Amino acid sequence: MQPLRRSSMRVLASAEPFAWRRFAGSQARHIRPRTQATTCLVAGLAGLALGGAGFSTAMCSSGLSQDELKKQVGYKSVDDYVRSGMVVGLGTGSTAYFAVERVGQKLKSGELKDVVAIPTSKRTEEQARSLGIPLVTLDTHPVLDVAIDGADSVDPQLNLVKGGGGAHFREKIVEAAAKTFVVIVDDSKIHEGLGPKFPVPVEIVPFCHEHTARVIEALPALKGCKAELRMGSAANNKKDGDKPAVTDNGNYILDLHFDTAIKDPKKAADQLKHTIGVVEHGLFVNMASVVVIAGKDGISVKNKPKGWFSKM
């Protein structure tokens, strides 16, 4: 198996993006060109590498749409971190969709060979099968080389909120088994703290779910949160039905709303984990190896700080 190496391709920018400013002084990497012409030239090359000239056109005019940013960062994560012979975790959601798409493209072209993947939801499984990606499970492949997935919120310590798509239980069990967990986001997901910008999903058993909600609201590390039962589709946290949303595992989801940032995400995660009735929560603490951030001015990469625990 070939060692991981960073792609030499970079989408360059003439100004520091929001995400880069947030992570200034850390291990974030971002490269700025000397001229606007250089920006457009490199953006054009990046667009071709990512599958279409539309990227270069958008980058050199009014900027990329959110969907184009998601495609850009999804493709780049596969180009940089997936190699032939790997076991790959496939995430769920609108950003991870493009990473799955890219794996399928590179397997079809022959650029990748002998790759097997573990999906984190039924939706991702269906997409992967349609693209001809060979699928396995943790039962037969308990250690993954890399997992790639999006996030709903990222703090400066690379702690995450995930589960907007209702798949955080399967995402967590797969991504915890990966040697490298690559998180892909656009810069709208970069926040000073977790909680206020995106509610924290918690998968719970249906039995006595109202009681479980009250217990969660009373947890000291989650003081002030309001637990709302997700209604309609489990694939988003918008109320789009009059019946409780049901996950792939047959459970309900509570979305925890906060007015202020969670002071101690690890303590909050521990207290949720030890609450009877909770199946899994959407706080991913100390799990991300690297966060790849797409902004309208380019791509930046934030690595886990040195000294943090990393899985072998």
Side-chain angles (χ1 to χ4, degrees), residues 31-49:
I31 304 172
R32 291 184 291 172
R34 295 182 179 180
T35 67
Q36 181 65 25
T38 306
T39 302
C40 292
L41 173 61
V42 177
L45 292 173
L48 292 174

Side-chain angles (χ1 to χ4, degrees), residues 11 39-40 42-61 63-75 98 101 294 299:
V11 179
T39 302
C40 292
V42 177
L45 292 173
L48 292 174
L50 295 175
F55 278 90
S56 60
T57 301
M59 179 65 78
C60 293
S61 57
L64 296 171
S65 70
Q66 189 174 34
D67 282 344
E68 288 169 324
L69 290 174
K70 291 177 179 181
K71 183 174 183 179
Q72 185 186 77
V73 76
Y75 277 33
F98 292 110
E101 181 177 79
I299 290 179

Side-chain angles (χ1 to χ4, degrees), residues 93-107:
S94 58
T95 307
Y97 174 92
F98 292 110
V100 179
E101 181 177 79
R102 187 62 164 169
V103 171
Q105 288 178 357
K106 299 187 82 168
L107 282 170

Side-chain angles (χ1 to χ4, degrees), residues 102-177:
R102 187 62 164 169
V103 171
Q105 288 178 357
K106 299 187 82 168
L107 282 170
K108 185 175 181 180
S109 71
E111 188 174 350
L112 287 177
K113 300 179 184 295
D114 301 321
V115 167
V116 295
I118 301 177
T120 55
S121 69
K122 292 180 180 178
R123 300 193 303 278
T124 299
E125 179 181 354
E126 291 171 358
Q127 181 193 7
R129 290 192 187 282
S130 72
L131 295 170
I133 300 173
L135 299 181
V136 295
T137 71
L138 287 174
D139 294 336
T140 57
H141 294 71
V143 179
L144 288 72
D145 295 289
V146 64
I148 300 174
D149 204 354
D152 300 302
S153 185
V154 183
D155 75 7
Q157 288 73 46
L158 305 193
N159 297 317
L160 317 171
V161 170
K162 289 177 52 55
H168 50 284
F169 171 77
R170 295 192 184 196
E171 290 171 338
K172 187 173 285 187
I173 196 172
V174 170
E175 288 150 12

Side-chain angles (χ1 to χ4, degrees), residues 181-197:
F181 176 26
V182 180
V183 179
I184 51 176
V185 295
D186 63 80
D187 59 8
S188 70
K189 306 300 176 62
I190 305 301
H191 303 131
E192 292 291 349
L194 302 180
K197 298 296 185 180

